[in-house]
Amino acid sequence: MKNLLTDIAGVRVGHADDAALASGVTAVIFDQPAVATIDVRGGGPGTREGALLDVANTVERIDAIALSGGSAFGLEAGGGVQAWLAEQGRGFVVRGAVIPIVPGAICFDLLNGGNKKWGRFAPYRELGYAAAAAAATDFALGNSGAGLGATTANFKGGLGSASATTPGGITVAALAVVNAVGSVTVGDGPWFWAAPFEIDGEFGGRGLPAAFTPDMLRARLKGGPSATPVENTTLAVVVTDADLTKTQAKRLAVIAQTGFARAIYPVHAPLDGDVLFVAATGEKTIDPLAGLTELGMVAANVVARAIARGVYTAAALPFPGALPAWRDRFG
């Protein structure tokens, strides 16, 4: 176990980013099509193929997920991932046609100091292709891929990942891009809201404060009173090796979203575009009631840990006025 999304067999992750742009793309590639669904809780989401993942709709399995910066421009990243998959002959077969199925979601990083004057066409399709081509079982956290340009209310955001195995033997893992309107830390201190779920000091081992002051509990919002609904998002991908139907995957997504509330304060606001994908590779049978409930409980914990790790591993951007990284303050 590497404490990464790729602890699920048959899952690979690739990044492509541009330091001058201060933005990038992360591709999650499934070696075999995976059952998938989506749960959207934020008030300002940006998604690709989201309707396809509704449990009432026909297609059940996907080939990849594209996560991108760039706000709505970043939705083109899915086309780049799709192009790479098409070259591999991957996709949903309709008679003689093969169509790679690539849902995706974006976060807003257009005001982080990077150069977004890209000309006629945004670079995200090419970044998506490069991210898919780079997919491997090892991948970087923090300022990588879609996490490069991410920020939170008080510290630099980033990309995090975590994994766990349930008492019943099912593995579940999460990847998160943390670009929240709120804060992942308690006040402006070193403590993470997700501290009760931390394993082996994976985000500093600071625990929680001995007491909570009113200042710790006040809202810290990125952009303050001028914040708008399109500026913030936390994106998460949860993958399990359980054998789930699309309806069961949806229930898992609903439970796993609890991890956002365990790690971000406040969360699911009209100022956020919070989106969570669930994919199941179908390797292990699971009890549909108690087993799925237990899996959801652990998945929520893993999501919270991945979010905290995204901030813990991030580095400040090299631009005037950039937010500090957690490590800049607390080492």
Side-chain angles (χ1 to χ4, degrees):
M1 297 282 282
K2 301 177 182 179
N3 206 21
L4 297 174
L5 190 74
T6 50
D7 285 332
I8 308 298
V11 179
R12 293 175 291 125
V13 173
H15 300 312
D17 47 55
D18 183 321
L21 183 71
S23 188
V25 172
T26 295
V28 179
I29 305 294
F30 301 100
D31 290 342
Q32 299 295 327
V35 171
T37 188
I38 189 173
D39 189 55
V40 179
R41 299 286 177 92
T47 61
R48 166 193 163 105
E49 297 278 38
L52 176 145
L53 297 176
D54 188 289
V55 294
N57 293 332
T58 303
V59 174
E60 292 196 350
R61 297 178 182 269
I62 65 172
D63 300 293
I65 296 172
L67 307 179
S68 179
S71 189
F73 296 104
L75 291 173
E76 293 187 1
V81 177
Q82 189 177 48
W84 183 84
L85 287 164
E87 290 179 350
Q88 318 308 310
R90 291 283 310 277
F92 182 71
V93 178
V94 183
R95 289 187 284 172
V98 180
I99 307 164
I101 305 299
V102 186
I106 50 87
C107 63
F108 182 97
D109 59 6
L110 299 181
L111 300 176
N112 61 12
N115 181 11
K116 306 303 193 294
K117 296 180 180 179
W118 46 61
R120 177 169 293 178
F121 296 111
Y124 293 99
R125 185 176 66 175
E126 295 303 321
L127 287 170
Y129 182 94
T137 54
D138 287 310
F139 61 94
L141 305 183
N143 286 26
S144 298
L148 174 57
T151 56
T152 72
N154 54 354
F155 292 114
K156 174 70 174 66
L159 183 142
S161 193
S163 66
T165 300
T166 71
I170 303 296
T171 303
V172 60
L175 179 151
V177 177
V178 188
N179 191 57
V181 71
S183 173
V184 177
T185 60
V186 180
D188 294 316
W191 316 279
F192 287 92
W193 289 107
F197 311 101
E198 185 175 12
I199 295 176
D200 295 332
E202 61 193 336
F203 40 89
R206 299 297 186 97
L208 289 172
F212 287 82
T213 66
D215 181 67
M216 290 175 181
L217 298 178
R218 70 175 175 84
R220 287 166 170 78
L221 302 180
K222 183 167 60 181
S226 62
T228 66
V230 298
E231 291 186 20
N232 316 283
T233 292
T234 297
L235 310 175
V237 176
V238 172
V239 185
T240 177
D241 57 7
D243 184 7
L244 302 180
T245 65
K246 195 174 182 182
T247 301
Q248 289 170 330
K250 175 65 176 183
R251 178 50 52 190
L252 178 60
V254 170
I255 304 172
Q257 275 270 19
T258 309
F260 280 53
R262 294 174 181 173
I264 304 169
Y265 183 85
V267 73
H268 299 150
L271 303 170
D272 282 310
D274 298 334
V275 173
L276 184 143
F277 298 94
V278 160
T281 61
E283 297 296 321
K284 299 175 182 176
T285 58
I286 186 172
D287 178 85
L289 298 177
L292 183 59
T293 301
E294 179 182 69
L295 178 59
M297 175 190 72
V298 176
N301 297 346
V302 169
V303 167
R305 292 165 49 211
I307 290 169
R309 291 189 82 199
V311 172
Y312 176 71
T313 56
L317 293 173
F319 306 117
L323 281 171
W326 184 93
R327 292 188 178 190
D328 293 338
R329 291 277 180 85
F330 307 113

